[in-house]
Amino acid sequence: MRGAIRDHWQGAMRFLRTPTLSRSVVGLLSIAIVLLLVINAATFVMIRRTVEFNSRVEQLQQSRRAARNVLVSVLNAETSQRGFLLAAQPQYLAPFNEARAVLPEQLERLHSLMDVEPDMAVRAALVDQLAEDKMAELERSLALASAGRIGEAMQLVRSGEGKRAMDRLRSEVQAIDEIQETRLQFARRRSEWASTVTVVVNSAAGILILVLAGISGWMVRRYVLEIQAGRDALDRANQGLEDKVRDRTAALTRANEEIQRFAYIVSHDLRAPLVNVMGYTSELDQVGKVLERQVQTIETKSPKLLDAEAVTAVREDVPEAIGFIRASTAKMDRLINAILKLSREGRRNLAPEPLEMTDLVQAIADSVRHQTDAADAAITVERLPWFESDRLSVEQIFGNLIDNAVKYLDPDRPGRIVASGRDTGDGRVEFRLSDNGRGIAPKDHERVFELFRRSGRQDRPGEGLGLAFVRNSVRRLGGDIEIESELGQGSTFVMKFPKRLIAHEAGDRL
């Protein structure tokens, strides 16, 4: 986990240190995103302040309205009192009763709006007291008038007590109205300022974003123009390149065919004199036997006629020479057969088909069961993935590898050969053939794939062609082969093939 995080961090640092268009565009986009976040935050703050200022404006307007409503109700009550005293008619008391009913609610409303500020709470309490005093004075005069004591009621009115209370109430409401008006103007200016700042910030941010977008567009356009110019230059440089490549490929193909044909002809032409040598060697062997019988006859009848050197030549030198000739011709025959096999394989057309690898490799393992039983060994074929390739080439590849694994098992321990594989998920399949045999020294890992090269003790028959043929075949199928091995521990051959072999592309990697 830490390694992955470190790799991501190092990749990010390399990206930031590399001056590329993508880095510039990412930088500009990052600046734009940060700017948008700042704008959103500033806009959010200014909108909250605007809401607060507007709420303050609304609260001030409502408090002014509440104070005026109290004054209007008291004035209506006073007017109702004057009408009743003059006309002595009960209908004149309706405005008074209405004012007395709504006044407590109006005063409570006034307190709720003005108690948030200590100085205005004092004024609200004073308005409350003055309104109650005025209403009390009005109720006393109306009570006297209702009792038929009109003179006393009029005397109470003429005393000026009610007028003074009304004047003080009117003065206090006016003072509240002026103070709230002043504060209202200030709150409106702050609200307008906040709105203006919000508009200015958003406008400036919009202009900056447009500038960044313009710069990004200009950079992208310049980059596109540079790419187009590079493509045009590349097209000019590559004019006729496809024809050159085609001609070169055709020349290489012809050269490869010539080499294969030459190898075939040479191998075929070498075989004719080799057959003659092998035939005359057999005749010499028969002549040697005839001479041996003649020497035996002379030894029996006239031993004095035999020369010692002649006897040695017939019985020792000639058979030894014939043996050397036979060994050399046999080795040469095997080499010629191997060269012919490589030549024929290179000329053979590949025929891709779906291969059930588990069954295919198991059949190869079963074909060498007599050898594994004799060597106290076992071949395990695990579940292998299928893939599409040339059946004959695949059979030859796995056949050679299994033969090699059986041939070089360690006689000091039971042999174990395991074939496994998996689908790598990237359009390729991987096969592993492991054994616990002698193993191969690291310095020989590459040599064993070369023609006529072998490693370790040369106590097994072979000419060093098997693994060279295997690698050639694997590459011709578009694959790779590697070896993992240690002396005394065994070997593992790792092969990777394309999931599907495209016939016209096969052999490109030879």
Side-chain angles (χ1 to χ4, degrees):
M1 183 65 181
R2 291 180 179 177
I5 295 174
R6 183 173 63 254
D7 292 341
H8 287 306
W9 176 256
Q10 291 175 351
M13 290 298 99
R14 285 195 299 271
F15 174 76
L16 293 176
R17 288 194 298 266
T18 305
T20 60
L21 174 69
S22 57
R23 191 187 72 170
S24 301
V25 172
V26 169
L28 291 173
L29 291 177
S30 300
I31 294 173
I33 291 173
V34 172
L35 185 60
L36 284 174
L37 292 175
V38 172
I39 293 169
N40 289 335
T43 303
F44 177 74
V45 171
M46 297 309 299
I47 289 175
R48 287 196 62 182
R49 289 193 175 185
T50 302
V51 171
E52 292 175 358
F53 295 155
N54 290 338
S55 299
R56 177 62 174 160
V57 168
E58 180 65 20
Q59 185 263 337
L60 291 172
Q61 289 178 336
Q62 290 182 3
S63 63
R64 291 178 64 195
R65 191 178 301 113
R68 290 174 181 174
N69 288 338
V70 170
L71 179 61
V72 169
S73 295
V74 174
L75 286 174
N76 289 338
E78 185 181 46
T79 301
S80 177
Q81 177 231 21
R82 297 291 190 271
F84 182 76
L85 292 178
L86 291 175
Q89 297 294 325
Q91 59 268 29
Y92 284 96
L93 293 177
F96 174 80
N97 293 330
E98 183 179 349
R100 184 170 59 182
V102 301
L103 192 59
E105 182 180 349
Q106 291 175 341
L107 290 172
E108 183 178 356
R109 173 68 173 165
L110 180 64
H111 279 289
S112 66
L113 293 171
M114 300 184 65
D115 283 351
V116 295
E117 300 173 287
D119 60 331
M120 300 308 294
V122 173
R123 292 186 178 276
L126 181 58
V127 169
D128 192 351
Q129 183 63 45
L130 292 173
E132 289 181 358
D133 292 344
K134 179 60 181 176
M135 293 300 292
E137 182 267 335
L138 293 176
E139 288 179 354
R140 287 199 303 274
S141 64
L142 290 175
L144 291 172
S146 297
R149 299 162 64 184
I150 297 298
E152 293 181 15
M154 294 301 294
Q155 184 64 32
L156 180 60
V157 173
R158 292 190 188 99
S159 67
E161 178 183 351
K163 183 178 182 304
R164 288 191 295 274
M166 195 65 199
D167 291 341
R168 290 184 63 192
L169 177 61
R170 186 180 290 106
S171 176
E172 191 61 32
V173 170
Q174 184 177 358
I176 291 174
D177 190 71
E178 291 174 355
I179 293 172
Q180 298 296 69
E181 176 63 22
T182 301
R183 294 178 177 177
L184 182 61
Q185 293 299 328
F186 179 71
R188 283 174 177 168
R189 285 196 295 272
R190 293 186 69 184
S191 178
E192 292 172 357
W193 170 82
S195 300
T196 302
V197 169
T198 302
V199 172
V200 170
V201 169
N202 280 276
S203 300
I207 292 172
L208 287 175
I209 291 174
L210 289 176
V211 170
L212 291 175
I215 294 174
S216 299
W218 174 77
M219 294 181 66
V220 171
R221 181 176 179 275
R222 188 184 68 176
Y223 180 67
V224 171
L225 291 176
E226 291 177 355
I227 291 177
Q228 187 60 45
R231 287 179 176 175
D232 294 339
L234 186 61
D235 290 340
R236 290 192 297 271
N238 289 341
Q239 286 179 354
L241 182 60
E242 291 185 1
D243 293 336
K244 294 179 181 178
V245 171
R246 190 179 300 109
D247 294 341
R248 181 63 175 168
T249 302
L252 289 174
T253 302
R254 287 193 299 272
N256 186 46
E257 291 175 352
E258 288 296 331
I259 291 172
Q260 292 178 356
R261 189 158 41 248
F262 176 76
Y264 179 79
I265 292 172
V266 168
S267 301
H268 184 272
D269 290 346
L270 286 176
R271 180 174 292 279
L274 181 64
V275 169
N276 290 333
V277 171
M278 295 174 69
Y280 284 117
T281 301
S282 298
E283 289 187 10
L284 287 176
D285 187 32
Q286 295 299 323
V287 171
K289 292 178 181 179
V290 171
L291 290 175
E292 171 62 22
R293 288 196 299 271
Q294 187 65 33
V295 168
Q296 289 177 356
T297 301
I298 295 173
E299 278 183 334
T300 304
K301 295 181 178 181
S302 304
K304 293 181 179 182
L305 297 177
L306 285 176
D307 184 60
E309 292 182 0
V311 173
T312 302
V314 171
R315 292 182 174 177
E316 296 181 8
D317 295 342
V318 172
E320 183 180 7
I322 292 174
F324 283 136
I325 293 173
R326 281 183 169 172
S328 298
T329 54
K331 181 176 181 179
M332 191 172 181
D333 185 57
R334 290 194 297 271
L335 292 176
I336 291 174
N337 288 334
I339 294 173
L340 284 173
K341 182 179 180 183
L342 287 174
S343 176
R344 292 191 186 102
E345 183 64 21
R347 295 197 308 273
R348 188 176 64 84
N349 293 327
L350 301 179
E353 62 177 286
L355 302 177
E356 292 295 337
M357 290 302 297
T358 305
D359 297 337
L360 186 147
V361 177
Q362 186 63 59
I364 296 173
D366 293 340
S367 69
V368 296
R369 187 180 301 277
H370 62 287
Q371 299 178 29
T372 55
D373 291 343
D376 190 21
I379 301 178
T380 302
V381 180
E382 298 180 355
R383 185 66 183 172
L384 303 179
W386 73 272
F387 77 118
E388 188 174 306
S389 192
D390 183 73
R391 176 179 293 276
L392 180 58
S393 296
V394 172
E395 288 177 343
Q396 290 174 340
I397 290 169
F398 279 89
N400 274 278
L401 291 178
I402 291 176
D403 284 341
N404 265 10
V406 174
K407 183 187 299 183
Y408 293 105
L409 287 172
D410 191 336
D412 296 334
R413 59 173 176 263
R416 178 169 174 79
I417 302 170
V418 179
S420 60
R422 66 187 180 94
D423 193 325
T424 60
D426 58 353
R428 297 176 72 82
V429 290
E430 177 184 284
F431 298 99
R432 302 173 72 91
L433 190 71
S434 304
D435 64 66
N436 62 342
R438 295 180 180 180
I440 301 172
K443 64 183 180 65
D444 292 330
H445 283 183
E446 184 62 26
R447 291 181 55 192
V448 296
F449 291 110
E450 298 175 3
L451 281 171
F452 312 120
R453 301 296 292 270
R454 304 171 72 188
S455 68
R457 300 192 308 272
Q458 306 302 311
D459 57 349
R460 294 289 188 273
E463 305 302 330
L465 292 170
L467 290 181
F469 174 78
V470 165
R471 183 164 70 171
N472 182 73
S473 299
V474 169
R475 288 181 173 178
R476 192 158 186 255
L477 297 179
D480 291 305
I481 182 169
E482 297 177 351
I483 184 172
E484 301 170 358
S485 182
E486 293 183 17
L487 278 176
Q489 302 298 320
S491 303
T492 298
F493 289 89
V494 182
M495 294 164 286
K496 294 181 180 179
F497 297 95
K499 186 74 173 178
R500 286 180 171 82
L501 175 66
I502 300 176
H504 71 271
E505 295 180 357
D508 290 348
R509 304 183 59 193
L510 289 178

